[in-house]
Amino acid sequence: MKNIYSHNAIIHLMKNMQKLIEPLNLIYYEYDKETNSFLLDQNYSNEHIFEELIKITYILSKQNINFFVDENKSLVLNSKDTLLAKTKRIIGSVVQNLKNNSLPIYVLNDKKVKWAKNLPVIKIETIKCDIDFSSYDALIFTSKSAIYSLDSYNHKWKSKPLYVIAPQTAKAASNLGGKIKFVSKEKHGNEFAEELLPLLKNKKVLYIRGSKIVSNLVEKLNANSVICDEAIVYQTVCVAFKKKIVLPKKSIIIFSSPSTIECFLKNALWDKSYTAISIGHTTQKYFPPYITPIVAETTSFDSCVKKAIELINSTFAHRKF
């Protein structure tokens, strides 16, 4: 007889969902506690998304957790897809878009992020590097820029197993045909090195990076039985604005790297009404003393925007109260 979980057991499963799905190593779907859903990143489309969908639905079915796929191809858990529920979702989505599109949230590059406005203060310049991939057992990436820059003139990297720092980097590599071997759970440079040590012991690897790095990953690996070389395939340079950037009061600005901090402050005066959101703890360390950033939950732009909206909503609720 099929085992049916009690309501309390289902609630317990929801609370422990992150632990339950951790072995799946998801990169295209992200579990959102607030909506009790697996949200699909709509920016990518390949066969690996279907593979992840199968993994998720299998484990949900095994745990007797009801779900349905909504109009955004995300998986909604423990809820019925009635006509009324679907209508409410659509209306809610329209209202939310109208509300959030007007918010003063800025990302400092040209990447399109839902509900954020683009203010590119940096640009990526490719550096061509002659690499003999045949001499390496694996490749390491810690940024999407390294992947895109390398792929613009050399496709041989796709034959090697890839060790990458975060789902966003993994998605970029996978979408171009790269073979993902490992995705960091820590998502921060120095912690990433710790994760790699047992995986790459006695191997020869190549770290493909930009001209500036903010971690001691290479030193850490070479000091612990991993032969790690480096190849610089891009550099980040500041965009020079003719006039100082002036943003609206109470703007929320998302900083995704130390370079975005440097280049924004070269082109703008910091206003005390602004709020800074750092995409990670490494970037957080590079803010000047007069800026205290808030760190996003995960190292993705979507997470940063979500954090920005939470801050705006909490401020509004506090004033209303």
Side-chain angles (χ1 to χ4, degrees):
M1 183 176 178
K2 190 176 182 180
N3 181 36
I4 304 297
Y5 284 92
S6 67
H7 176 72
N8 288 338
I10 292 292
I11 295 298
H12 177 74
L13 281 172
M14 294 303 101
K15 289 181 178 179
N16 293 277
M17 182 59 69
Q18 202 63 48
K19 188 175 181 179
L20 189 68
I21 64 173
E22 190 172 301
L24 302 183
N25 295 318
L26 302 176
I27 61 174
Y28 294 102
Y29 285 90
E30 181 178 355
Y31 179 66
D32 182 69
K33 293 180 182 178
E34 291 183 13
T35 60
N36 196 20
S37 304
F38 284 92
L39 305 179
L40 173 65
D41 188 336
Q42 300 284 342
N43 294 314
Y44 297 90
S45 177
N46 62 32
E47 70 276 9
H48 300 297
I49 292 177
F50 181 70
E51 291 174 7
E52 288 195 358
L53 177 62
I54 296 300
K55 289 180 182 179
I56 298 170
T57 55
Y58 173 76
I59 199 167
L60 292 178
S61 299
K62 192 175 180 182
Q63 299 293 337
N64 293 311
I65 300 174
N66 295 323
F67 63 89
F68 68 87
V69 179
D70 69 10
E71 53 277 1
N72 296 314
K73 299 182 181 179
S74 295
L75 279 75
V76 183
L77 279 53
N78 283 343
S79 181
K80 293 183 179 180
D81 190 23
T82 63
L83 179 60
L84 178 60
K86 186 173 183 178
T87 302
K88 285 183 177 179
R89 284 200 312 272
I90 293 173
I91 294 173
S93 178
V94 171
V95 172
Q96 188 179 45
N97 284 332
L98 289 173
K99 177 184 175 182
N100 292 343
N101 281 335
S102 63
L103 297 177
I105 302 172
Y106 295 87
V107 292
L108 302 178
N109 56 32
D110 58 3
K111 176 179 171 57
K112 298 301 179 183
V113 185
K114 191 175 183 180
W115 299 323
K117 298 171 177 60
N118 294 99
L119 178 61
V121 298
I122 60 172
K123 58 182 179 180
I124 303 300
E125 294 182 350
T126 296
I127 299 173
K128 290 191 176 182
C129 184
D130 188 19
I131 303 171
D132 179 13
F133 291 104
S134 65
S135 61
Y136 296 102
D137 299 306
L139 306 178
I140 299 172
F141 287 102
T142 58
S143 78
K144 292 189 293 184
S145 295
I147 294 168
Y148 293 140
S149 295
L150 177 60
D151 193 67
S152 69
Y153 64 88
N154 191 325
H155 301 306
K156 294 181 180 179
W157 62 275
K158 299 174 187 179
S159 65
K160 295 294 178 180
L162 310 179
Y163 293 73
V164 301
I165 198 169
Q168 295 303 315
T169 308
K171 280 183 274 194
S174 178
N175 208 52
L176 290 172
K179 301 174 182 178
I180 306 298
K181 181 68 175 179
F182 174 77
V183 181
S184 172
K185 293 180 175 62
E186 296 295 336
K187 306 179 181 68
H188 302 292
N190 292 328
E191 292 90 342
F192 181 37
E194 292 289 343
E195 289 180 301
L196 292 177
L197 290 178
L199 302 174
L200 298 177
K201 188 175 182 179
N202 298 323
K203 293 182 181 294
K204 185 178 181 181
V205 300
L206 180 65
Y207 175 30
I208 300 174
R209 64 176 183 84
S211 58
K212 295 180 181 178
I213 53 175
V214 293
S215 71
N216 61 354
L217 183 148
V218 175
E219 292 81 359
K220 186 76 174 179
L221 294 180
N222 280 320
N224 290 275
S225 303
V226 180
I227 300 173
C228 183
D229 293 337
E230 303 171 80
I232 297 174
V233 297
Y234 76 94
Q235 63 178 350
T236 304
V237 297
C238 295
V239 174
F241 289 78
K242 293 181 179 179
K243 295 181 179 180
K244 286 287 185 181
I245 297 170
V246 179
L247 298 181
K249 294 282 187 179
K250 300 177 183 177
S251 291
I252 299 181
I253 306 162
I254 296 168
F255 295 87
S256 58
S257 66
S259 293
T260 56
I261 300 172
E262 175 191 351
C263 296
F264 179 81
L265 295 178
K266 276 186 177 181
N267 288 289
L269 296 176
W270 185 259
D271 188 278
K272 63 181 181 180
S273 72
Y274 295 163
T275 299
I277 293 183
S278 174
I279 204 167
H281 294 294
T282 301
T283 298
Q284 180 189 20
K285 299 173 184 176
Y286 286 80
F287 282 89
Y290 58 87
I291 301 176
T292 302
I294 295 168
V295 181
E297 301 299 328
T298 63
T299 53
S300 74
F301 283 106
D302 289 333
S303 179
C304 291
V305 171
K306 181 180 177 181
K307 176 63 71 175
I309 293 172
E310 287 175 359
L311 291 171
I312 292 170
N313 289 340
S314 64
T315 300
F316 176 78
H318 178 73
R319 287 177 179 173
K320 189 175 181 180
F321 177 80

